[in-house]
Amino acid sequence: VLVLQMFLISAEVSGNITEAVRNHTGKEPERMKWIDKLERRFGHIAIHDLMMIIVIGQAVVFLAEFFMPGLGIWSKLSLYMPAVLQGEVWRLLTFIFVPSSSTPLSLVLTLYLMWLIGHTLEQSWGDFRFNVYYFLGVLGAILEKTDEAGIPVYGSEVEQVKLGCVGGAGLDYTPLTVN
């Protein structure tokens, strides 16, 4: 999953190289045809302004938890694999709306940075490619937690890893190693 995300990033960074190859050879380089085919086929289901939706969702969840702490909204929405295995499958999507920030100032800074980076990527890559990138990260977070019991995952942790905003303490992501 992380390899696919890095490929999407490197493919877009090397957009000038792709354009140069296209101008020189008259053909599209082979490495980007698969994402173009996916976009032509499934591009209509891409979520427009995905990062804005996630930022607003995290702000709403934070405010609900802040003003009504007795409801335990964070614990009901976070990715907690034992609960998912007991039938609470909504947690596979709702955890992206649970912020990892616990203070208003850190929330504002985190959400602003998430929106700034995510919106820029979305404008640069387009809705479909950003959706693929983001949901591959969500899938990676879910797969990572399948073997861990009892550790909840919050939505901002996914963005911090994917968008290069790792600054929070206590993130327990397994480093990639090559054997």
Side-chain angles (χ1 to χ4, degrees):
V1 172
L2 290 174
V3 171
L4 286 174
Q5 286 184 325
M6 294 309 294
F7 176 77
L8 284 174
I9 291 173
S10 65
E12 290 303 320
V13 168
S14 65
N16 293 337
I17 296 170
T18 302
E19 189 64 33
V21 169
R22 185 183 305 122
N23 289 339
H24 180 67
T25 63
K27 300 189 288 187
E28 184 74 22
E30 291 292 324
R31 62 186 167 85
M32 288 304 292
K33 285 186 177 181
W34 67 273
I35 191 81
D36 292 333
K37 287 179 184 177
L38 282 175
E39 188 169 6
R40 280 193 298 272
R41 187 170 206 175
F42 301 109
H44 65 281
I45 61 173
I47 302 169
H48 182 67
D49 285 334
L50 176 64
M51 189 50 63
M52 181 59 75
I53 293 168
I54 292 166
V55 165
I56 290 171
Q58 287 193 9
V60 167
V61 169
F62 179 85
L63 291 173
E65 182 70 23
F66 189 76
F67 290 112
M68 298 175 284
L71 293 179
I73 294 172
W74 284 8
S75 64
K76 292 177 184 170
L77 298 179
S78 64
L79 179 60
Y80 182 61
M81 291 312 281
V84 171
L85 295 175
Q86 292 175 356
E88 297 179 10
V89 293
W90 65 82
R91 292 173 180 265
L92 294 173
L93 285 179
T94 58
F95 81 97
I96 64 175
F97 296 110
V98 179
S100 60
S101 303
S102 60
T103 64
L105 179 61
S106 65
L107 175 80
V108 168
L109 292 174
T110 300
L111 293 183
Y112 176 70
L113 193 57
M114 280 174 34
W115 176 81
L116 184 67
I117 295 171
H119 181 72
T120 302
L121 288 175
E122 197 168 9
Q123 294 299 312
S124 175
W125 294 350
D127 293 334
F128 179 78
R129 290 175 190 227
F130 183 73
N131 279 217
V132 169
Y133 173 74
Y134 186 83
F135 288 115
L136 281 174
V138 169
L139 179 63
I142 292 169
L143 292 175
E144 180 202 9
K145 293 300 176 184
T146 56
D147 64 342
E148 297 180 20
I151 302 173
V153 178
Y154 304 111
S156 292
E157 294 178 9
V158 176
E159 285 91 16
Q160 287 170 348
V161 170
K162 286 193 329 293
L163 300 178
C165 304
V166 178
L171 298 180
D172 59 334
Y173 288 89
T174 307
L176 295 177
T177 57
V178 177
N179 294 330

